[in-house]
Amino acid sequence: MCASVNIEEVTTSESATEQAARRPHREGPYHHGDLRNALVRAAAELAENGGPEAVTVRAAARRVGVTPTAAYRHFTNHEQLLGAAQEQAQQTLFDAMAETIRMFPPDADAVTRLFAVGRGYIVFAMREPGLFRTAFCNREQDGPEDWNSPAFDLLSNLLDELVEIGFTDPAHRPDAEFAAWSAVHGMASLLIEGALPDQGREAKDLAIARTLAMVERGLATGPNAAHFPRSAQLAAMLDESD
C-alpha cells in the first residue's frame, strides 16, 4: 500500500462518460426481450452524467427512443429502474477495482491486492462520480449482502486472505470490511465533493497514499505482518511526518 497514486495519470484516460457520449443511440423499436436491457444501459448512462437523481423511467425511455408506456412494462416505477442502475454501477466499480489488480503481477500477495482495490475504488470515484454516487444511492436494504455488491465481496475475500497469510490477527477480522471501506470511501467522497482544501496533484497523491497506508497498518496485527516491508516502511514514514 505504500505506492503513491498518480492522479494525473489515472484521470486523463478516457472515462466511461466520454465513451458513452460517442456511442450512437439506437433508434427505432427494440425487439422483444431487448428493451429491458436497453433501459438499464440508458439508466447507467444517465447516472454517469447526473448521478442517481437523473435516473427516471421517462428519461430512460426518451434516451432509448420508446414511449414511457413501453418502458413501464419492464419497470413499474423509478425505484425499480434505479435499483437496476445501481447494480450496473456496482458491477462497473468492481470492474475498475479488478482492472487495477491486473496492473500487478498475477502472484501479487493479498496486501498488494488490497492496495490495488483501494486505489481502484478511489480512481473510479474520481473518473465517474455520477456512477459512484449511484452505486451507493439510498435504497431500503438491510446490509451489503442485499446490494449484489461484487466489490464488497472482493474486499471480504481479501481480508480473509490477510488472516490466512498471518498478516491480520484472526481476532481482528470480524467486521474489518467496514473499517477499511469507511476510510477509502470517505477519501473518495471528500475528493469528488470538493470538500478538501484546494491542493495540487502531489498533495492529493500523498493524501490517498496515506489513507491506504493507514488501512494497511490497522490490519497489520498478525504474526507475519513484519514480513511485509511495505507496511513497516510506510508506517515509519508516517510516524516521522507526524
Side-chain angles (χ1 to χ4, degrees):
M1 281 191 174
C2 63
S4 63
V5 181
N6 190 322
I7 299 300
E8 185 176 51
E9 176 184 350
V10 299
T11 56
T12 52
S13 60
E14 186 179 48
S15 70
T17 302
E18 293 167 338
Q19 295 171 0
R22 297 203 323 273
R23 290 195 294 267
H25 299 302
R26 181 175 177 175
E27 296 180 355
Y30 280 81
H31 297 297
H32 177 69
D34 190 42
L35 180 54
R36 187 185 190 282
N37 290 329
L39 290 168
V40 173
R41 289 194 297 270
E45 291 173 2
L46 289 167
E48 287 172 6
N49 293 296
E53 297 82 5
V55 179
T56 66
V57 176
R58 287 183 175 275
R62 184 164 54 249
R63 193 175 187 89
V64 170
V66 299
T67 65
T69 301
Y72 279 119
R73 296 193 186 102
H74 297 274
F75 298 99
T76 58
N77 54 45
H78 163 77
E79 287 73 20
Q80 284 188 358
L81 181 60
L82 183 58
Q86 183 182 36
E87 289 186 6
Q88 181 65 46
Q90 284 279 353
Q91 183 61 49
T92 308
L93 169 61
F94 170 81
D95 292 343
M97 295 163 69
E99 180 182 358
T100 308
I101 290 179
R102 288 192 291 270
M103 296 171 62
F104 294 88
D107 60 348
D109 58 65
V111 180
T112 299
R113 284 180 283 128
L114 182 68
F115 163 78
V117 300
R119 178 181 184 271
Y121 190 101
I122 295 175
V123 169
F124 175 80
M126 297 175 66
R127 282 183 180 170
E128 301 292 347
L131 277 181
F132 182 76
R133 295 187 182 100
T134 302
F136 300 101
C137 61
N138 185 23
R139 295 175 63 220
E140 293 184 2
Q141 296 163 324
D142 294 330
E145 64 276 5
D146 297 326
W147 295 346
N148 188 25
S149 174
F152 189 84
D153 294 339
L154 175 59
L155 172 60
S156 295
N157 292 335
L158 279 172
L159 294 175
D160 288 341
E161 285 191 54
L162 293 183
V163 173
E164 292 173 3
I165 64 176
F167 187 82
T168 300
D169 189 312
H172 300 150
R173 173 62 185 87
D175 295 331
E177 291 92 340
F178 299 106
W181 182 22
S182 297
V184 176
H185 187 87
M187 175 54 67
S189 297
L190 289 171
L191 286 169
I192 67 174
E193 298 298 343
L196 295 177
D198 188 17
Q199 303 179 86
R201 178 180 59 81
E202 292 184 1
K204 290 180 179 179
D205 283 349
L206 184 58
I208 294 170
R210 285 179 168 173
T211 298
L212 298 176
M214 180 188 69
V215 172
E216 181 184 333
R217 184 167 58 174
L219 292 167
T221 60
N224 296 332
H227 298 166
F228 295 85
R230 287 186 309 279
S231 178
Q233 291 171 0
L234 191 51
M237 184 193 75
L238 292 176
D239 289 340
E240 292 172 1
S241 66
D242 288 342

